[in-house]
Amino acid sequence: MIQLLPLFVAIPLGAAFLTALAAFKARRLADVGSALATGALLVLAVITIGRQGVYPVGGFLAPLGITLVLDGFSVLLLLIVNGIGFLATLYSISYMERYTSKYKYFTLFLLMIGGMNGVVITGDVFNLFVFLEIASIASYALVAFGGEHEELEASFKYLVLGSVGSGFILLAIALVYGATGQLNMAGIAMALAGTDKHLLIAFASVLFLAGFSVKAALVPFHPWLPDAHPSAPAPISAMLSGVLIKALGVYALARIIFNVLGATPLFGMIVMGLGVLSMTVGVILAVGQWDFKRLLAYHSISQMGYVVLGIGLGMFILASGGDSVVAGTALLGGILHLANHAAFKSLLFFCAGSVEFRTGTRMLKELGGIQEKMPVTRLTCTVASLSIAGIPPLNGFWSKLIIVIATIQAAFTYPGLLVLTAVTVLVSFVTLVSFLKVLRYVFLGALPDAFRKIKESPFFMGVTIVSLALLCAGMGLLLVPAARGAILDPAIEALKQGLGYGSRVLAGM
Amino acid sequence: MKGMTIIVQTITRLVKIFILLYGLYLTLTGHLTPGGGFAGGVVIACLYILLTLAYGRQWALRRFPRRLAGSLDSVGGFIFLIVACLGFGFGGMFFVNFLERFFPGRPFALLSAGTIPLNNIAICLKVAASLFLVFIVMAGARLLEKKDRTYDYKQEEEE
């Protein structure tokens, strides 16, 4: 299996170049080719469950050559990226009919998936930067795909802020290279393990934090997101919110801090603080929005706060030498919420896209009463809304519950953390309020005359949203011991090993 | 755009072949001397930019249309990927230098270093075509002032 690891990058890149070459003549080719490519990637991602290994690219071994590393955390992210990627491809087949040059869209889309897969499997910090830029630049172009004033403005803002973030990351990589003489993640971890923290490394960690926070849209770094997500075409909004900010932001941050540079208690507290800030500010800004997709975008910021809170809490407890089980619970909550958010937030963006596809507007005040016209969309949107608000037994409930349990457990040692418990529950409540507003204004109430003739969304879009709704309902099953042992526990172990990552990867796992 | 004066056009006509040869030289001997696919590609793209400036955009696009440039761009990337993937079949590993057995690395020998010259050629195609495209696209963009004093972006279509 480990021999197939480069295919995660090779398939999407090859499909992208072929689409750009061949598909302006045969229009269906782009649809079929992209669906086949992302479907193959999904199959490959499913095969990787429970496996790990190191792949030296070109036969050059670890400290000098570029390695691809597959471990529990990568497997989870590969499943999310390629799962949502496949569904977004299916959705795009119908949705993108409205736009011209669909093959250009699929080219960029596949490049973005290739970049994200690369970020997730690479074991080299500079390689990570390159893949991060591939995914980011493809996403800048995809945000601007509509070509109207609003799209271009959002894309330009995203471009500027994203480039500043990338600049921070590149500078941090340069500093780490200067301090250790290594670019391989395992090599850096080996060089840093057992030594005192160099001041340069602390500075580099802060730069990494700033850069990846821009990509993950945590609160002081978030302004690009509420513009970029509503402007992009719906499948791209779903990819950006469901996958991109996780693979490029949270995954890369957690990987670099836990496994490469080493966590400190202070750093854990800063990450937790960013998480709490994102949670509260995001949800407060979301409540007052009247644009469907902009409201969802602010909720993305808020929900990413949950993920980062869980991961930061785990980082804090591990680094200050606390109870490893509590740290594991916190990490489990963060990682499970990461997976759950990918499912329900992409579903919400797909639903918003379906509504916009049929009605032509996404302003909540202009919508209303379309529940009889679009019953499937209504049902799936309700599932996703309840899921994001944390109503049992949908998936969002379980991850939020675990985060709350982790904060309470941690509060036995650090009583101040009880504040986090209160904030977590309160934010969840405000989330529920704002999604009741969405359901009320979009689906209930009087049907405007303009919408008398609308129909349910086309076949491929319907398939996508129904399968995501099933996923939302069923993802709580990930906590069943068998599934947990196969998918979630390896991901947590990969983070908990800390700098031990270095010696394990150099030994070939 | 009509192009520049006859002095510039004449000088351009005289030097264009040398610039092209220099770009090809940098690309083809990239594994022996300083240079390589990227540098060679940039030089070749600069030749096209010079021709565009000297003779005007219509003239350049008649000889090197945008769709051809786009195709070459993809072909370059695709060749690079094919060479990398052939490593699977012949060397058992992604990106492995499977031609090194036949053309081992020797100083100053053109046929050496295995797959690296092939990679250089692919990169040259990709870089030359995409830099030219970036130039052409940006040269064709216009900001139009609308009635309400906001600006609107417009792309001139060539075909």
Side-chain angles (χ1 to χ4, degrees):
Chain A
M1 167 55 216
I2 199 69
Q3 293 301 319
L4 298 180
L5 202 51
L7 287 183
F8 278 111
V9 180
I11 289 179
L13 289 186
F17 294 137
L18 276 185
T19 309
L21 265 181
F24 61 85
K25 288 265 171 58
R27 296 192 51 223
R28 282 287 149 206
L29 203 65
D31 298 352
V32 178
S34 316
L36 281 180
T38 47
L41 285 172
L42 179 58
V43 171
L44 276 177
V46 171
I47 296 175
T48 60
I49 292 177
R51 294 170 203 264
Q52 54 181 10
V54 180
Y55 187 91
V57 176
F60 295 100
L61 292 175
L64 294 178
I66 292 172
T67 49
L68 304 180
V69 181
L70 184 74
D71 66 4
F73 200 23
S74 313
V75 169
L76 182 77
L77 262 291
L78 282 178
L79 281 173
I80 296 174
V81 171
N82 297 306
I84 306 291
F86 177 59
L87 291 174
T89 314
L90 286 188
Y91 191 89
S92 310
I93 291 175
S94 299
Y95 184 84
M96 295 307 289
E97 287 296 333
R98 301 195 296 172
Y99 294 82
T100 52
S101 11
K102 205 166 154 192
Y103 73 96
K104 287 182 183 163
Y105 165 83
F106 275 119
T107 305
L108 288 165
F109 183 85
L110 288 164
L111 280 178
M112 187 168 81
I113 290 195
M116 286 190 289
N117 279 339
V119 166
V120 171
I121 57 174
T122 186
D124 181 284
V125 271
F126 192 74
N127 210 265
L128 183 139
F129 175 76
V130 172
F131 281 123
L132 186 127
E133 281 295 276
I134 293 177
S136 301
I137 291 174
S139 67
Y140 304 150
L142 281 169
V143 167
F145 201 77
E148 295 298 321
H149 188 88
E150 180 200 9
E151 280 98 349
L152 291 173
E153 187 191 330
S155 169
F156 188 69
K157 197 188 228 179
Y158 180 24
L159 170 83
V160 171
L161 281 169
S163 308
V164 171
S166 303
F168 279 148
I169 295 167
L170 186 60
L171 182 58
I173 291 171
L175 289 176
V176 170
Y177 183 55
T180 62
Q182 299 269 9
L183 281 175
N184 195 283
M185 287 188 194
I188 296 170
M190 285 293 273
L192 293 179
T195 57
D196 281 338
K197 270 278 176 295
H198 200 291
L199 203 56
L200 208 56
I201 296 300
F203 183 48
S205 314
V206 175
L207 286 176
F208 271 127
L209 179 66
F212 291 131
S213 298
V214 174
K215 303 287 179 194
L218 299 178
V219 151
F221 308 96
H222 71 287
W224 61 269
L225 188 140
D227 280 343
H229 286 198
S231 307
I236 295 308
S237 311
M239 284 301 283
L240 286 180
S241 175
V243 183
L244 191 98
I245 57 178
K246 299 186 178 66
L248 265 52
V250 176
Y251 167 84
L253 179 67
R255 175 68 82 199
I256 294 275
I257 298 302
F258 273 97
N259 293 147
V260 179
L261 298 180
T264 59
L266 176 66
F267 205 80
M269 281 168 74
I270 296 174
V271 174
M272 259 196 295
L274 283 177
V276 175
L277 203 62
S278 308
M279 263 162 66
T280 44
V281 174
V283 84
I284 289 169
L285 289 172
V287 170
Q289 299 299 325
W290 288 102
D291 179 334
F292 195 173
K293 282 170 85 176
R294 182 173 279 263
L295 184 144
L296 296 180
Y298 276 113
H299 275 296
S300 284
I301 298 175
S302 166
Q303 300 298 315
M304 288 313 279
Y306 277 97
V307 176
V308 170
L309 171 67
I311 290 176
L313 184 61
M315 192 188 290
F316 173 68
I317 297 171
L318 275 183
S320 53
D323 189 350
S324 165
V325 178
V326 181
T329 315
L331 289 175
L332 174 67
I335 289 176
L336 184 60
H337 200 66
L338 190 145
N340 288 341
H341 181 248
F344 56 66
K345 188 47 72 65
S346 9
L347 176 52
L348 280 169
F349 271 115
F350 286 144
C351 289
S354 294
V355 170
E356 192 196 355
F357 188 76
R358 285 305 188 202
T359 63
T361 178
R362 48 173 206 257
M363 291 298 153
L364 294 181
K365 282 184 175 165
E366 295 170 13
L367 290 163
I370 57 174
Q371 56 167 334
E372 282 158 19
K373 299 288 178 189
M374 306 178 78
V376 179
T377 311
R378 191 238 168 156
L379 190 68
T380 52
C381 191
T382 311
V383 169
S385 305
L386 296 182
S387 182
I388 193 174
I391 307 292
L394 299 166
N395 60 358
F397 168 72
W398 300 106
S399 45
K400 287 185 181 180
L401 180 69
I402 293 171
I403 292 176
V404 169
I405 291 175
T407 53
I408 293 175
Q409 281 180 339
F412 284 117
T413 328
Y414 313 97
L417 291 181
L418 270 181
V419 181
L420 295 186
T421 318
V423 171
T424 315
V425 175
L426 190 72
V427 168
S428 192
F429 177 71
V430 184
T431 310
L432 178 62
V433 171
S434 106
F435 275 96
L436 287 181
K437 173 178 134 183
V438 169
L439 293 178
R440 158 73 183 79
Y441 276 94
V442 177
F443 295 106
L444 305 178
L447 183 70
D449 286 338
F451 302 153
R452 292 250 175 255
K453 289 191 178 153
I454 62 171
K455 289 182 292 193
E456 183 53 78
S457 30
F459 174 72
F460 280 120
M461 288 158 76
V463 168
T464 313
I465 55 179
V466 168
S467 42
L468 270 171
L470 291 177
L471 210 57
C472 276
M475 266 173 79
L477 292 178
L478 276 179
L479 288 171
V480 172
R484 192 180 150 179
I487 298 175
L488 292 174
D489 283 344
I492 296 161
E493 287 309 316
L495 288 180
K496 272 165 87 173
Q497 66 184 335
L499 293 181
Y501 172 84
S503 50
R504 284 187 60 209
V505 169
L506 287 184
M509 288 280 185
Chain B
M1 228 171 18
K2 282 278 184 291
M4 294 164 105
T5 61
I6 190 148
I7 301 174
V8 179
Q9 292 190 350
T10 310
I11 299 287
T12 306
R13 203 164 58 232
L14 291 177
V15 297
K16 65 181 181 193
I17 188 70
F18 295 107
I19 299 177
L20 181 66
L21 280 177
Y22 186 55
L24 290 177
Y25 167 77
L26 281 180
T27 306
L28 293 179
T29 62
H31 54 300
L32 305 171
T33 56
F38 194 95
V42 171
V43 171
I44 292 175
C46 285
L47 168 66
Y48 276 101
I49 292 173
L50 176 67
L51 288 174
T52 312
L53 289 176
Y55 291 97
R57 203 169 65 240
Q58 272 74 26
W59 186 93
L61 281 173
R62 259 202 315 280
R63 280 153 185 77
F64 196 47
R66 214 147 100 180
R67 180 155 287 166
L68 178 64
S71 304
L72 278 183
D73 187 25
S74 304
V75 166
F78 199 62
I79 293 176
F80 195 84
L81 194 71
I82 291 283
V83 171
C85 285
L86 282 179
F88 263 132
F90 293 101
M93 196 155 265
F94 192 60
F95 254 114
V96 84
N97 197 337
F98 61 95
L99 287 177
E100 204 184 1
R101 274 171 295 169
F102 311 111
F103 306 108
R106 278 179 294 134
F108 308 113
L110 193 60
L111 285 179
S112 65
T115 57
I116 294 176
L118 290 180
N119 288 341
N120 269 332
I121 292 169
I123 295 171
C124 171
L125 275 179
K126 173 106 189 141
V127 170
S130 41
L131 273 183
F132 177 67
L133 272 179
V134 167
F135 174 77
I136 281 292
V137 166
M138 292 184 88
R142 294 280 182 275
L143 272 181
L144 302 176
E145 194 175 1
K146 289 197 294 192
K147 279 186 195 126
D148 53 353
R149 315 210 76 190
T150 57
Y151 285 93
D152 203 5
Y153 164 89
K154 188 173 181 302
Q155 181 75 47
E156 274 182 24
E157 283 307 321
E158 323 297 341
E159 282 95 8

